[in-house]
Amino acid sequence: MYDGLEFIRPPDSYVWKPDIVVANSFQQLDRLGGDFVSLKVFSNGRVQWMPGDLFYLPCSVDVQLYPFDSLTCTMELVVWSHSVTEVYLKPLKSLAGVSSSKIRGQWSLTSTSIKSKEKSLDNRNVSSTIITLVLERLPTNFVFNFMIPVMILSLLGTFVFLIPADSGEKISFAITIPLSYGVYMGFLTNMVPQSSDGVSTFIIFLGITLSMSALFVILSIFSVRISGRSNSRPVPKSFQRFTIWVEHAKHCGRHRKTNTSHVAKVMEQSDDDETKEHTQVITWKRVSKALDLFFFWVLCVPLLIAIPVLLLCTAFPL
């Protein structure tokens, strides 16, 4: 048939094409395809038309899960001038063909879908096809470059209370931590998607740790001032009881690590030590050391619990 000719490529103006437009594009509403796109007319009457163009489409993203979020982009193809009784778009497959797509960088294509529906346009029903692409963010780069350093900084900030107040480096170390947070927040401002629908859980965590680092500075200054007070100034009874309680708890923690064969001996020795401590004059430096030890455990333990919880909540949301 037709002397073995399987298909022809007639001029674009010789073949009728439906006026399909991308209804949800941010660009100017224009007809899909162009004069440079040729058609294939096969001997059995089938016409193949493969238009291509560059589109700017709306995509929805849940920034609360950043950087473990996903991106959902939709393309709505609408037959603009013909009703559904005249032209009906029917997909041949339920999945979009992505064999020629080259998605690189921080995204990976996870799923696609194509479905047809009728849409009301100017008091008439027209045929439309919705193509949906779901892309998942690859968080490896963000986790290693931002999340892990910020979590290390949050834990590192608590160690300011282990620096002796007489060393002179306590306050400078405490101030360095919030400055490091400021550098990271400057980078994150341009990386995190801007949306009014929510705030990333990691950004909330970063804000909390930044506030805690400011608290570390205040507590460190308070501890240094306590340590620098003159011994001629009497220590209040409340500070004395607090210091004795912290030192007693410290010694109890050490005793639990000893062997059972030496428990009686250690307990007897500890009683003597505690008696000596109670008889010794409690100075402001002892109060400062007790405050530092108390602040370290009170602030370090919640961070050790909060960091794994944050990773689980962002990676495996409810």
Side-chain angles (χ1 to χ4, degrees):
M1 191 175 183
Y2 303 109
D3 295 332
L5 187 63
E6 296 182 1
F7 65 89
I8 60 173
R9 295 182 180 272
D12 182 74
S13 58
Y14 283 21
V15 180
W16 175 86
K17 301 184 299 295
D19 48 352
I20 300 176
V21 298
V22 180
N24 62 337
S25 175
F26 288 115
Q27 294 174 305
Q28 182 179 358
L29 191 65
D30 200 358
R31 184 175 180 176
L32 186 64
D35 296 337
F36 67 92
V37 181
S38 60
L39 297 91
K40 270 187 179 183
V41 181
F42 293 87
S43 58
N44 58 1
R46 184 171 65 93
V47 179
Q48 185 183 63
W49 181 42
M50 301 179 65
D53 208 337
L54 179 64
F55 303 102
Y56 292 90
L57 304 172
C59 299
S60 61
V61 59
D62 187 1
V63 296
Q64 294 181 357
L65 304 179
Y66 183 87
F68 303 96
D69 55 341
S70 59
L71 197 66
T72 303
C73 303
T74 58
M75 174 187 289
E76 185 178 9
L77 304 176
V78 177
V79 181
W80 195 258
S81 302
H82 299 83
S83 64
V84 69
T85 57
E86 296 173 324
V87 177
Y88 182 76
L89 298 178
K90 182 180 179 181
L92 297 178
K93 298 180 180 180
S94 60
L95 301 177
V98 293
S99 58
S100 60
S101 63
K102 296 182 180 179
I103 300 177
R104 297 290 185 270
Q106 59 179 340
W107 298 100
S108 64
L109 185 64
T110 58
S111 63
T112 63
S113 64
I114 303 177
K115 63 179 181 179
S116 294
K117 71 172 187 178
E118 295 184 8
K119 181 178 181 179
S120 179
L121 182 65
D122 195 17
N123 296 326
R124 57 189 176 87
N125 292 333
V126 297
S127 178
S128 67
T129 298
I130 298 178
I131 303 174
T132 304
L133 304 176
V134 179
L135 297 93
E136 185 176 349
R137 191 187 301 273
L138 301 176
T140 305
N141 180 61
F142 186 87
V143 168
F144 281 96
N145 291 334
F146 290 95
M147 292 191 72
I148 292 180
V150 166
M151 292 177 182
I152 292 175
L153 278 176
S154 62
L155 287 176
L156 195 62
T158 60
F159 285 86
V160 68
F161 300 109
L162 299 183
I163 300 177
D166 299 336
S167 66
E169 301 295 332
K170 193 180 188 72
I171 303 301
S172 59
F173 179 81
I175 295 177
T176 303
I177 301 299
L179 291 179
S180 302
Y181 279 122
V183 173
Y184 275 101
M185 292 195 73
F187 286 111
L188 290 174
T189 302
N190 299 325
M191 294 186 62
V192 178
Q194 303 298 321
S195 175
S196 59
D197 296 334
V199 182
S200 172
T201 306
F202 179 72
I203 298 300
I204 297 176
F205 173 79
L206 186 61
I208 294 174
T209 52
L210 179 60
S211 303
M212 291 185 65
S213 64
L215 179 62
F216 295 164
V217 175
I218 297 173
L219 294 178
S220 299
I221 294 173
F222 176 72
S223 176
V224 171
R225 286 182 59 86
I226 290 290
S227 178
R229 286 185 178 181
S230 175
N231 292 329
S232 60
R233 183 175 180 178
V235 179
K237 294 292 183 180
S238 57
F239 279 116
Q240 292 184 19
R241 289 193 295 266
F242 173 79
T243 303
I244 293 172
W245 175 76
V246 171
E247 292 177 349
H248 177 73
K250 176 183 177 182
H251 287 302
C252 289
R254 290 179 178 177
H255 294 157
R256 293 192 185 97
K257 298 179 181 179
T258 58
N259 298 326
T260 56
S261 60
H262 298 81
V263 169
K265 183 177 179 180
V266 173
M267 290 298 294
E268 182 180 354
Q269 184 180 357
S270 65
D271 293 337
D272 296 338
D273 294 340
E274 290 177 9
T275 303
K276 293 179 181 179
E277 289 175 0
H278 285 285
T279 57
Q280 291 177 358
V281 177
I282 296 180
T283 61
W284 286 109
K285 288 186 177 181
R286 285 181 63 185
V287 175
S288 176
K289 291 180 180 179
L291 286 172
D292 285 342
L293 187 62
F294 175 77
F295 291 149
F296 174 75
W297 287 112
V298 168
L299 297 174
C300 183
V301 172
L303 283 174
L304 289 175
I305 298 175
I307 289 176
V309 171
L310 172 70
L311 290 175
L312 291 175
C313 291
T314 52
F316 305 100
L318 298 177

